[in-house]
Amino acid sequence: MPLHRSSSYSSDSNSDAAAEVTPVFALKQLVARLHREQNKIQDLLSSLGFALRSFNNLNQFLELIPLMATRVTDADASALVLLKPNGQVKLEQLHCQDSVQGTQIRNAIETATRQIAETGAKKALSLPENSSELEIAEAQRQDKKLATLDERVNQYLGPDIQLFGTPILVKQDERGRLYVFSRDPDYTWTETRQKLVRLVADQTAVAIANDELTVELRKKERLDRELEIGAEIQQRLLPRQCPTIPGIELAARCKPANRVGGDYYDFIPTHPDWQRTIQGENGKTKGEAERLGSKIQNPNCKIQKKRWGIVIGDVMGKGVPAGLIMTMTRGMLRAEVLNGHSPARILQHLNQVMYADLENSHRFVTLFYSEYDLASRILYYSNAAHNPPFLWQAATRKVMRLDTAGMLIGLDVDSQYEDAQVQLAPGDTLIYYTDGLTEAANLSGDRFDEENLISAFERACQRCTGAQPILDYLFNEVLKFIGPGNRNGDDMTLVVMQVEPS
């Protein structure tokens, strides 16, 4: 009996102990399971963050999104729908273990997006015939903002599948939707699960924004490279150095506001063979050029009384468009000079040739063209609304303006231009310039203007000897006026021509 009682007592004690231990054990299991789930979620999100930092291909990253959204929420499937730049709503990625359910979800989303596209197209077609492209695009865009997509997808899936969707926002602009699906009737969309889906959607938005930023940076790099090439071509088209012309000394400088500018200057011989000789091309030395130039005084020489064209111009505007027009002007003017016409006739022909192109571009060109006769020291010139050059006469120590009536190149196809001439003497100095010098402004907004340029020019002619020192002095005066660190907003070009003393 005692044994029996003892056995009975032992059995009852074990039963009571089991009753006491079971809730604790269950709680420990629950805590362990929650801990494992938390670690799993953290690992998944860490992997997604690593992929965001490491992947260079946006499509590879987007393939992970439905998989990650499904796993962190313990759901059955997930789908990523994106709004494309052309306005098309498209199913980008889908993850589902059950192929039948996956097909059902795919069909529902594709049917919904197709109906949205058809609704937008019908809405655009219903607009009046005179509707603008902007109105048509707006009509199509309204139904493509994914506002009704959730409702349509839910409708086609039916009540057996629970759905949660959240927007993918890039700079507050909705660019798609991330959906997560579950067929489990006991599945609930807790606040935690919703936050996890939104977190994955935010990572997706960051990846899209980063990809677009990368594309923009690459475009900018290509554009920068194209600008560098444009600037290099333009610099090559401008004279690399002033030609050696007997009897005169030349100096020139062009300082563009941007990498590609619209200012233009050139030295154009009226005979192409003479150009190659004087500029020292084809192996000619400076001494040989000077010896050939001295033949101008020989009445039996075929190139006697030849002239050098000296031109300065400015295309309205800056940057690449102005640079392209400047390049076109240079080529056409060089071809026109070889016809041997007077400066006014050259400008008239140039205006007629360029009018159609400039009219469509809504840009115009100011141009001052002159020809210097080396034998007579006469400067023949004509002006197409450019800043008139200044001539400092050594004999009188006075400055005079060289100007004629004439309109902008490209403004009126029937524009007429005037010829004029001036006799130069030893020591006379002439400056050609663009308005970037006179309109250069300091921090107070004051401009350098013509009066300051004339005063500086007079001082330079009295203090400096030679064309290059005069040019350096004038540029330094303008830069000093602007002030240190202040960047001029327009191209600045200056050409100095000085008749050598007897």
Side-chain angles (χ1 to χ4, degrees):
M1 291 297 294
L3 180 62
H4 176 72
R5 285 196 301 271
S6 174
S7 174
S8 175
Y9 176 79
S10 175
S11 175
D12 292 342
S13 298
N14 290 337
S15 176
D16 293 341
E20 293 175 359
V21 170
T22 298
V24 175
F25 181 74
L27 182 60
K28 288 183 177 179
Q29 283 187 318
L30 178 61
V31 171
R33 183 170 62 82
L34 291 175
H35 185 67
R36 288 194 299 271
E37 289 181 358
Q38 185 179 20
N39 288 339
K40 181 189 74 172
I41 291 172
Q42 289 178 349
D43 290 342
L44 289 171
L45 294 178
S46 297
S47 300
L48 188 61
F50 176 79
L52 179 62
R53 295 189 303 270
S54 305
F55 282 17
N56 294 323
N57 189 310
L58 177 64
N59 291 330
Q60 290 180 344
F61 179 82
L62 295 182
E63 289 176 2
L64 296 175
I65 298 304
L67 173 63
M68 290 293 182
T70 303
R71 290 189 176 179
V72 297
T73 56
D74 285 327
D76 296 329
S78 179
L80 176 63
V81 179
L82 293 181
L83 180 63
K84 297 296 183 179
N86 62 359
Q88 180 186 8
V89 182
K90 181 182 177 183
L91 173 62
E92 189 72 22
Q93 297 290 339
L94 172 67
H95 172 76
C96 186
Q97 295 287 357
D98 188 330
S99 59
V100 175
Q101 184 182 2
T103 301
Q104 181 184 1
I105 293 172
R106 180 181 295 278
N107 291 338
I109 293 176
E110 290 180 346
T111 301
T113 55
R114 185 168 57 251
Q115 286 189 352
I116 288 176
E118 291 172 354
T119 302
K122 290 178 181 178
K123 196 171 183 180
L125 290 173
S126 65
L127 292 173
E129 293 183 1
N130 60 349
S131 299
S132 66
E133 293 183 3
L134 183 62
E135 290 174 329
I136 295 174
E138 180 66 17
Q140 293 175 330
R141 187 175 65 86
Q142 289 301 327
D143 278 352
K144 290 181 179 179
K145 293 203 76 171
L146 310 171
T148 62
L149 188 59
D150 294 11
E151 180 182 346
R152 291 174 184 267
V153 172
N154 244 328
Q155 176 185 345
Y156 293 126
L157 286 177
D160 294 337
I161 296 180
Q162 299 186 62
L163 174 150
F164 177 76
T166 189
I168 296 170
L169 300 175
V170 179
K171 297 179 181 179
Q172 302 304 315
D173 186 21
E174 188 172 358
R175 304 290 289 277
R177 304 283 288 181
L178 178 60
Y179 292 112
V180 184
F181 310 88
S182 176
R183 192 183 287 274
D184 185 354
D186 297 327
Y187 190 91
T188 56
W189 282 109
T190 64
E191 185 66 24
T192 300
R193 284 172 172 165
Q194 293 181 30
K195 286 182 178 178
L196 289 171
V197 177
R198 293 190 185 101
L199 181 60
V200 176
D202 289 344
Q203 295 283 67
T204 307
V206 171
I208 293 173
N210 287 346
D211 182 72
E212 291 177 351
L213 181 60
T214 301
V215 171
E216 287 299 318
L217 287 175
R218 287 173 180 166
K219 286 182 180 178
K220 185 177 182 302
E221 289 174 356
R222 288 196 297 269
L223 179 59
D224 287 344
R225 180 55 186 156
E226 289 172 1
L227 286 174
E228 288 176 4
I229 295 172
E232 182 179 348
I233 292 173
Q234 187 179 39
Q235 288 301 315
R236 288 179 178 272
L237 291 176
L238 292 175
R240 284 174 285 180
Q241 61 184 16
C242 296
T244 301
I245 302 176
I248 62 172
E249 184 180 345
L250 295 167
R253 183 181 302 170
C254 179
K255 185 177 177 63
N258 299 318
R259 276 177 288 184
V260 181
D263 279 9
Y264 161 60
Y265 73 94
D266 204 357
F267 308 106
I268 310 172
T270 57
H271 194 285
D273 294 333
W274 198 35
Q275 175 185 20
R276 289 194 294 269
T277 304
I278 295 296
Q279 289 185 314
E281 296 178 5
N282 296 335
K284 297 291 184 181
T285 65
K286 180 178 178 181
E288 289 172 320
E290 290 176 344
R291 284 195 297 274
L292 183 59
S294 66
K295 293 182 180 180
I296 296 167
Q297 307 302 327
N298 182 355
N300 297 320
C301 180
K302 291 182 180 180
I303 62 170
Q304 77 174 55
K305 295 185 181 179
K306 293 301 180 183
R307 303 174 179 178
W308 270 86
I310 303 173
V311 58
I312 191 165
D314 187 3
V315 179
M316 295 180 66
K318 296 182 288 294
V320 174
L324 291 174
I325 293 175
M326 184 277 280
T327 304
M328 178 177 67
T329 304
R330 175 190 183 273
M332 291 184 175
L333 179 61
R334 279 183 162 251
E336 187 62 41
V337 166
L338 297 178
N339 292 328
H341 296 300
S342 70
R345 183 63 63 85
I346 288 173
L347 291 184
Q348 184 178 350
H349 290 173
L350 182 67
N351 176 66
Q352 292 171 347
V353 171
M354 295 183 63
Y355 175 77
D357 293 330
L358 292 178
E359 182 187 32
N360 295 331
S361 71
H362 304 291
R363 294 175 184 269
F364 309 101
V365 180
T366 67
L367 204 68
F368 185 94
Y369 179 73
S370 62
E371 286 187 0
Y372 179 68
D373 191 297
L374 278 69
S376 65
R377 293 193 183 126
I378 295 177
L379 185 76
Y380 302 88
Y381 60 91
S382 185
N383 195 6
H386 191 75
N387 302 86
F390 296 127
L391 170 63
W392 186 81
Q393 296 175 306
T396 62
R397 303 176 77 82
K398 299 291 185 181
V399 174
M400 65 177 293
R401 182 183 281 104
L402 305 184
D403 198 8
T404 61
M407 299 180 70
L408 299 161
I409 300 294
L411 186 63
D412 182 1
V413 70
D414 296 320
S415 292
Q416 299 295 315
Y417 300 93
E418 296 180 354
D419 276 312
Q421 65 184 59
V422 61
Q423 177 69 59
L424 301 184
D428 287 355
T429 305
L430 184 66
I431 59 169
Y432 303 74
Y433 68 97
T434 58
D435 58 9
L437 275 85
T438 52
E439 294 184 3
N442 58 22
L443 293 175
S444 301
D446 299 324
R447 299 189 182 278
F448 192 68
D449 67 42
E450 274 193 8
E451 291 184 5
N452 284 330
L453 180 59
I454 292 173
S455 299
F457 182 36
E458 290 176 335
R459 293 194 302 271
C461 291
Q462 294 168 7
R463 299 177 185 179
C464 305
T465 302
Q468 188 63 49
I470 291 174
L471 182 140
D472 293 337
Y473 180 88
L474 293 176
F475 254 99
N476 289 337
E477 288 293 294
V478 174
L479 296 177
K480 186 167 59 176
F481 176 85
I482 294 174
N486 189 18
R487 187 170 177 269
N488 192 28
D490 199 1
D491 309 328
M492 295 192 298
T493 301
L494 179 64
V495 177
V496 179
M497 168 185 160
Q498 188 172 65
V499 181
E500 294 180 352
S502 299

